[in-house]
């Protein structure tokens, strides 16, 4: 929710103040123009929106994975139902990298940050598969629990990186003070 709020704030503050002088006038008064930086900021905001939606889906999948594991551990979910739910979870998270690939990182987002997002999704999927394998294995739950820990860690990492994307959007925007000062000047 905070990430979505940050994106909305970034949209509202998406103005840049430019000061130019009219060279033909005797008394050169500063002329203040407020324009939207359409290409870079719009691309950055679009990317941040996509990452925010992915982060919400990752958090939802993490909660689902925890619920499946907790249900199995407590005995409130039958084995067949747990296997079916786990399979659906693996299918659900397996599409996330394709969604990330459609979101091209714009100017202002480092390739390294985008690769970090992709890497955390890869770890997320691998951990979901480990949970599924652990559920179907003959061990006493060690593999599944280790998969759950890796699953939650990858989700947390994705969330942190998504927060860095939101910060990049905020930093690309002029401060409210700069916008006000430009309007008053």
């Amino acid at each position: 929710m905070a990430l979505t709020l940050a994106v909305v704030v970034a949209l509202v503050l998406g103005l840049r103040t430019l000061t130019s002088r009219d060279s033909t006038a005797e008394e050169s008064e500063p002329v203040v123009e407020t324009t939207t930086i359409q290409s870079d900021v719009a691309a950055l905001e679009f990317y941040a929106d996509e990452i925010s939606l992915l982060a919400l889906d990752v958090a939802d999948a993490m909660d689902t994975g925890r619920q499946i594991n907790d249900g199995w551990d407590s005995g409130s979910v039958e084995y067949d139902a747990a296997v079916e739910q786990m399979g659906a979870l693996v299918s659900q998270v397996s599409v996330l990298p394709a969604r990330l690939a459609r979101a091209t990182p714009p100017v202002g987002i480092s390739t390294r940050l985008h690769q970090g997002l992709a890497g955390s999704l890869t770890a997320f999927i691998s951990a979901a598969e480990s949970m599924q394998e652990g559920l179907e294995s003959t061990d006493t739950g060690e593999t599944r629990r280790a998969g759950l820990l890796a699953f939650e860690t990858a989700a947390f990492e994705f969330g942190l990186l998504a927060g860095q994307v939101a910060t990049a959007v905020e930093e690309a925007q002029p401060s409210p003070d700069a916008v006000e000062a430009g309007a008053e000047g």
Side-chain angles (χ1 to χ4, degrees):
M1 187 66 167
L3 181 61
T4 303
L5 181 60
V7 172
V8 170
V9 170
L11 288 170
V12 171
L13 299 177
L15 301 175
R16 174 187 277 178
T17 302
L18 303 172
T19 304
S20 64
R21 295 194 177 265
D22 183 3
S23 60
T24 60
E26 295 238 347
E27 292 180 352
S28 297
E29 294 283 328
V31 176
V32 177
E33 297 176 25
T34 304
T35 59
T36 303
I37 309 167
Q38 294 176 354
S39 62
D40 290 347
V41 173
L44 192 57
E45 290 170 347
F46 177 78
Y47 182 79
D49 287 346
E50 291 300 309
I51 300 305
S52 177
L53 292 172
L54 277 167
L56 291 172
D57 289 344
V58 165
D60 182 52
M62 184 187 73
D63 288 343
T64 300
R66 168 58 71 184
Q67 290 171 2
I68 294 167
N69 275 281
D70 288 350
W72 175 247
D73 284 339
S74 70
S76 64
V77 175
E78 295 291 325
Y79 177 75
D80 290 338
V83 169
E84 183 179 322
Q85 291 171 10
M86 196 65 76
L89 178 65
V90 169
S91 295
Q92 176 187 350
V93 300
S94 293
V95 301
L96 297 177
R99 288 181 46 206
L100 178 63
R102 288 192 308 260
T104 306
V107 173
I109 297 295
S110 74
T111 303
R112 189 174 178 178
L113 176 57
H114 186 77
Q115 289 170 343
L117 289 163
S120 66
L121 286 180
T122 299
F124 194 60
I125 294 166
S126 177
E129 292 168 344
S130 292
M131 287 190 304
Q132 185 177 29
E133 291 167 9
L135 183 62
E136 297 171 347
S137 77
T138 57
D139 71 15
T140 58
E142 297 85 8
T143 303
R144 182 179 44 81
R145 285 188 205 94
L148 176 61
L149 178 61
F151 190 69
E152 291 176 333
T153 300
F156 182 71
E157 180 181 321
F158 190 89
L160 289 175
L161 294 170
Q164 289 180 18
V165 171
T167 299
V169 171
E170 291 174 11
E171 290 173 355
Q173 308 299 327
S175 70
D177 295 336
V179 172
E180 287 179 20
E184 293 173 6

